[in-house]
Amino acid sequence: MARATHSFPDSFLWGTATSGYQVEGQSTNTDFWRWEQLPGRIAQGHKSGRACDWWEGGRWREDFDRAANDGHSAHRLSVEWSRVQPAPDRWDDAALDYYRQMVRGLRERGLTPLVTLHHFVNPLWVADTQRNLWESAEIVLLFAAYVRKVVGALGEFVNLWATINEPNVYMVFGWVNGIFPPGKKSIFAAMRVAANLLRAHAAAYCVIHELQPQALVGLPIHFRPIFPAHPDFWPDRWVAQTQFNLFSSLFPDAVRTGRLRQVLRPSLPIPEAKGTLDYFALNYYSADVTRFDLTNPRELFGRRSFPTDAEPDSSGLYASCPLGFYEALKWARGLRLPIYVTENGIGDETDGLRRRYLVTHLRQLWRAVNFNWNVRGYFHWSLVDNFEWERGWTHRFGLYALDTETQVRTPRPSARLYAEICKSRALSSDVVAQYTPELLETLFP
Ligand code: BGC
């Protein structure tokens, strides 16, 4: 068969994404660390411990070398608030300087940094056991002050920012199903938190632009398309739309309109949030099908499952559904903003599924780019296996496998596959034939 190639533009960014808590290790002054110590919170009682040892052991250096050698041109990381501001009246300049070294280290290796300012985790003083400040409007100015400090310190090397990672997941996991700290189950508290997350994002947007007019600021959304089980049965359609409106599109719609949708209440005006996005940050993993089910009020009377042709991973949380990725990109295009895919990946220790996942999802990404949709970069989750929140170390997302005892990294075949794609800035039939021969006929007929 003749060689065929799906090419991407030279300026397209190729990278991986990580978050501070999940890779740094020893993030002891945080709510998630405290949470980890409680029985039953993390699968098999796992602990983040040294994680990927980026902080004390400085292993970010060797991991950035891996990314650079593999032809990546960008990397997304996050700053841990607890390190920069360990107490309300104390800034740690040494920690800020360490983050400066990291982002400079990326630039020195030819990688463009994308920096997230909040990724699920808080300093203990923000998340007091009695009083979590995300439930109070006080958080807005506190977060803005922290953002000012970080942007002042890192701005020389960074102009791509993400304010708050996945506010929709954070609100649901922390305040609806209680999987993350503070472990609450109150829809009304969740709505208060959603409003404060949005206000804090808007304040951060203004601070970043004040310091750096040319910055690009995003708000990464965990985007899960939901298809009605029976499209001609209106209750299924209603449930799918309601779940979508209150999860995937909740925050982007609020930024578009300046009003935040609420449950059982009229929408809340938050005018300062209107227009506070320079690009859409899309985190896509998986899609769902939903059917109306009166017995499940917790999920807004829907019962979710995976599309029949989707391939589930070992966790039962995600399944490979490349068409869902295309749908997500199509939806995002409607916002008329540049798009960066800030996370996409699958947990798969053995790497068989990941290779198929990568190839089939990048094929959908290429379709979008080929239609001239304004997609500017792709960050695979993740570079090295890292601490996967409530799933501990049971769910492995790395292109590189991590031995947590020895800190040895071993490339999975997907690391080489992704390196070939990044280096050639293309998905070619040769690469598909080598890594996923079973897909060759479908992708390059
Ligand atoms: C989060 C990551 C997480 C990934 C895989 C995303 O929702 O932003 O922190 O590791 O999902 O579960």
Side-chain angles (χ1 to χ4, degrees):
M1 174 189 170
R3 187 172 199 277
T5 303
H6 293 336
S7 304
F8 288 76
D10 287 353
S11 59
F12 193 86
L13 292 182
W14 291 102
T16 55
T18 53
S19 88
Y21 192 86
Q22 294 178 272
V23 295
E24 289 174 359
Q26 300 299 119
S27 297
T28 53
N29 184 25
T30 62
D31 54 352
F32 212 93
W33 185 275
R34 180 177 59 198
W35 185 251
E36 274 184 42
Q37 316 311 315
L38 304 175
R41 297 303 187 188
I42 312 293
Q44 301 179 15
H46 284 172
K47 300 274 187 288
S48 57
R50 281 195 294 160
C52 307
D53 201 23
W54 276 25
W55 198 259
E56 289 181 358
R59 288 182 202 265
W60 53 271
R61 295 186 183 83
E62 55 166 290
D63 286 338
F64 291 178
D65 287 343
R66 285 188 178 88
N69 289 334
D70 287 351
H72 303 185
S73 54
H75 182 76
R76 173 177 173 224
L77 55 76
S78 83
V79 170
E80 267 309 311
W81 189 355
S82 66
R83 300 205 191 268
V84 171
Q85 192 178 10
D89 55 355
R90 195 151 60 82
W91 299 100
D92 186 335
D93 290 328
L96 269 173
D97 190 59
Y98 198 51
Y99 281 118
R100 245 177 92 81
Q101 288 181 41
M102 282 189 203
V103 291
R104 188 174 51 218
L106 287 171
R107 288 284 185 201
E108 284 164 358
R109 290 166 178 80
L111 300 168
T112 299
L114 191 164
V115 172
T116 311
L117 294 152
H118 185 276
H119 197 120
F120 298 158
V121 178
N122 299 295
L124 279 175
W125 63 268
V126 167
D128 193 276
T129 36
Q130 303 308 316
R131 196 160 158 272
N132 185 299
L133 292 183
W134 283 106
E135 292 178 31
S136 138
E138 268 170 80
I139 195 71
V140 178
L141 288 180
L142 295 167
F143 186 65
Y146 153 73
V147 169
R148 181 174 294 281
K149 199 78 178 172
V150 175
V151 175
L154 309 190
E156 183 185 344
F157 302 105
V158 182
N159 54 21
L160 256 181
W161 300 96
T163 54
I164 298 173
N165 182 66
E166 299 186 346
N168 54 340
V169 167
Y170 185 50
M171 156 197 107
V172 170
F173 277 38
W175 281 268
V176 178
N177 59 26
I179 288 175
F180 283 2
K184 294 202 178 165
K185 294 185 179 171
S186 155
I187 201 76
F188 294 105
M191 287 194 292
R192 264 203 316 281
V193 170
N196 290 330
L197 286 164
L198 187 63
R199 293 186 185 110
H201 157 77
Y205 180 91
C206 293
V207 167
I208 300 172
H209 276 287
E210 183 194 317
L211 297 175
Q212 224 189 31
Q214 79 285 9
L216 291 182
V217 181
L219 176 68
I221 298 300
H222 193 108
F223 195 94
R224 261 179 110 119
I226 306 190
F227 306 105
H230 304 97
D232 36 9
F233 182 52
W234 74 261
D236 284 3
R237 283 202 310 276
W238 176 82
V239 155
Q241 192 62 50
T242 308
Q243 289 180 333
F244 182 79
N245 288 349
L246 289 169
F247 187 70
S248 294
S249 76
L250 181 67
F251 286 92
D253 284 349
V255 171
R256 201 168 41 77
T257 60
R259 300 187 74 90
L260 183 66
R261 233 173 249 126
Q262 305 274 289
V263 179
L264 302 174
R265 287 180 185 164
S267 64
L268 184 70
I270 305 190
E272 68 271 31
K274 194 169 176 177
T276 55
L277 278 188
D278 301 317
Y279 68 93
F280 184 64
L282 171 66
N283 291 0
Y284 173 82
Y285 287 87
S286 197
D288 294 305
V289 163
T290 192
R291 66 191 67 244
F292 183 67
D293 181 349
L294 259 185
T295 66
N296 200 20
R298 282 225 145 260
E299 289 195 45
L300 307 163
F301 301 105
R303 176 87 43 203
R304 283 185 293 147
S305 55
F306 292 128
T308 39
D309 54 352
E311 235 184 312
D313 76 0
S314 58
S315 72
L317 286 179
Y318 301 118
S320 173
C321 180
L323 279 178
F325 189 30
Y326 181 76
E327 288 301 319
L329 289 161
K330 192 162 89 185
W331 186 91
R333 173 181 173 250
L335 298 173
R336 301 184 189 284
L337 292 169
I339 302 167
Y340 287 90
V341 178
T342 39
E343 288 181 33
N344 173 245
I346 194 93
D348 175 28
E349 177 106 50
T350 58
D351 207 51
L353 177 55
R354 182 179 294 99
R355 274 177 279 161
R356 282 196 294 285
Y357 186 97
L358 245 180
V359 162
T360 51
H361 284 71
L362 292 182
R363 153 80 173 202
Q364 298 303 326
L365 184 67
W366 172 78
R367 281 177 73 199
V369 168
N370 196 43
F371 292 149
N372 273 328
W373 298 357
N374 194 0
V375 193
R376 297 192 181 171
Y378 172 86
F379 294 82
H380 188 76
W381 188 276
S382 181
L383 182 56
V384 178
D385 287 339
N386 55 53
F387 185 73
E388 198 42 58
W389 307 117
E390 83 288 0
R391 280 150 280 148
W393 297 100
T394 63
H395 204 193
R396 305 279 183 144
F397 277 83
L399 294 172
Y400 286 80
L402 174 74
D403 180 328
T404 50
E405 289 297 310
T406 60
Q407 286 293 325
V408 168
R409 281 86 161 133
T410 310
R412 296 194 165 101
S414 290
R416 287 190 285 269
L417 160 63
Y418 191 52
E420 295 214 28
I421 292 168
C422 295
K423 286 179 184 169
S424 60
R425 295 190 278 275
L427 178 67
S428 71
S429 52
D430 288 354
V431 164
V432 173
Q434 187 181 345
Y435 291 92
T436 52
E438 70 277 19
L439 295 175
L440 189 60
E441 264 305 303
T442 328
L443 297 194
F444 294 95

